[in-house]
Amino acid sequence: MKAVIKTLCLAVGIFSLGACSSWIYRIDIPQGNFLEQKDVDKLRVAMTKEQVIYVLGSPVASNAFDNDTWHYFYALKGGRGNNFEKQLIVEFKDDKLQDIKGDFDKSAEFSTPLDI
């Protein structure tokens, strides 16, 4: 009888610890370049690489074989499981900005160079 009571108490203790796991604080883990649409809206065709770095910051991933494609990536792993990811791919030709792709919209002024 004592063994049954001990086993029952142990099982109740283990299950009650599992219920307390929702009380544990889990931090959000951000990684990469956090970009907003207002930052991407500042980009214009024919910008130099230095100008793009000034607007967006350095890319999170550089490709050793293709220096004309930059990848900006942001991921937020939420402590409660709410994950968030965004990416932006910036393409250059002859060291001038040619195109952008990814989870951000191109601005209406993207095709207008800054010098005009």
Side-chain angles (χ1 to χ4, degrees), residues 12 34 46 51 58 61-62 69 88 106:
V12 168
F34 179 74
Q51 289 171 322
S58 297
S62 60
T69 303
L88 178 70
K106 284 185 191 178

Side-chain angles (χ1 to χ4, degrees), residues 29-98:
I29 303 171
Q31 293 182 321
N33 300 82
F34 179 74
L35 298 177
E36 293 182 296
Q37 184 65 46
K38 67 179 183 174
D39 298 325
V40 177
D41 289 343
K42 296 175 185 175
L43 295 177
R44 300 289 185 270
V45 72
M47 288 177 85
T48 65
K49 291 182 177 182
E50 291 81 18
Q51 289 171 322
V52 173
I53 289 175
Y54 182 77
V55 172
L56 300 180
S58 297
V60 84
S62 60
N63 187 343
F65 301 106
D66 184 12
N67 196 26
D68 289 334
T69 303
W70 292 358
H71 296 269
Y72 290 87
F73 182 75
Y74 180 74
L76 177 70
K77 182 179 178 188
R80 297 284 177 214
N82 48 348
N83 298 335
F84 175 79
E85 292 182 356
K86 278 205 168 196
Q87 71 172 345
L88 178 70
I89 300 169
V90 179
E91 295 178 351
F92 295 91
K93 184 175 182 181
D94 299 325
D95 290 332
K96 300 287 184 182
L97 180 62
Q98 182 175 1

